[in-house]
Amino acid sequence: MRNKKHSKDGSGGVKRKEARYAVKTEASVLFKKSSVFGLFQHRIVHSGAIIDISHTGIRAEYKTTTVWSSDFDRMSIVTADKNISINNIPCKIISDRKVRYLQDGNYLRRCGIKFGNLSEYHKLQLSYFIQKYTIISDNQESWHIEFA
């Protein structure tokens, strides 16, 4: 597995080796926990909206009234048109932060998720998703700015 290092640029941005692509149509992510002994289906523990995606992970937003539970190890991606569904992608959370308090009493949170060891099938599905459901500019750069 390749080591993905991030380096700061002069403007405070983070240069990444993998480009991130903005999702151009609504897509949801379902965070799941594996069942005990693998006897039952994965249990959904949270859901959210995908902000952007790369071949190594995603960034998503979700609403919650409680602290984020990192008790998940799989995720699924589903498009609003239901034309694509990528199930049971191995993953792990690498960042999670509160964005703002909402009037309905929930908090909007943003998290970064890294994909785990992907099967060839998952790699093909993710490549297809990136090709069909993301914005790819003519002047594509591997830059992403993190706001504190």
Side-chain angles (χ1 to χ4, degrees):
M1 182 173 220
R2 295 183 313 210
N3 187 7
K4 304 282 185 196
K5 292 187 177 181
H6 308 312
S7 60
K8 297 262 182 186
D9 72 349
S11 67
V14 178
K15 184 177 181 179
R16 299 178 184 272
K17 290 188 178 187
E18 291 285 338
R20 288 195 179 197
Y21 304 98
V23 176
K24 66 182 176 184
T25 186
E26 190 175 322
S28 297
V29 60
L30 305 173
F31 302 111
K32 301 176 176 185
K33 175 69 178 163
S34 293
S35 65
V36 179
F37 307 115
L39 298 175
F40 304 102
Q41 288 192 344
H42 302 286
R43 176 176 51 94
I44 297 173
V45 293
H46 269 294
S47 65
I50 298 173
I51 299 169
D52 57 29
I53 188 168
S54 74
H55 290 281
T56 58
I58 68 165
R59 191 165 51 128
E61 282 186 342
Y62 64 96
K63 290 189 337 182
T64 184
T65 58
T66 61
V67 178
W68 173 261
S69 167
S70 62
D71 192 22
F72 72 91
D73 57 1
R74 300 278 171 180
M75 61 182 252
S76 293
I77 295 173
V78 182
T79 58
D81 62 12
K82 297 182 182 171
N83 283 337
I84 190 167
S85 177
I86 309 170
N87 293 309
N88 299 323
I89 304 165
C91 63
K92 110 177 183 180
I93 193 163
I94 56 170
S95 67
D96 182 38
R97 66 181 181 88
K98 180 177 72 171
V99 176
R100 68 178 177 271
Y101 179 75
L102 303 171
Q103 289 182 341
D104 65 2
N106 288 311
Y107 290 93
L108 183 64
R109 298 190 64 87
R110 186 170 291 161
C111 61
I113 297 109
K114 180 179 178 179
F115 299 137
N117 290 330
L118 299 173
S119 68
E120 289 302 316
Y121 183 68
H122 280 133
K123 289 176 187 176
L124 286 171
Q125 287 184 307
L126 287 166
S127 291
Y128 177 78
F129 176 84
I130 289 170
Q131 180 183 14
K132 294 290 185 183
Y133 292 93
T134 63
I135 297 169
I136 302 172
S137 68
D138 293 333
N139 187 13
Q140 194 178 118
E141 295 182 21
S142 298
W143 292 88
H144 173 72
I145 298 174
E146 292 281 345
F147 297 100

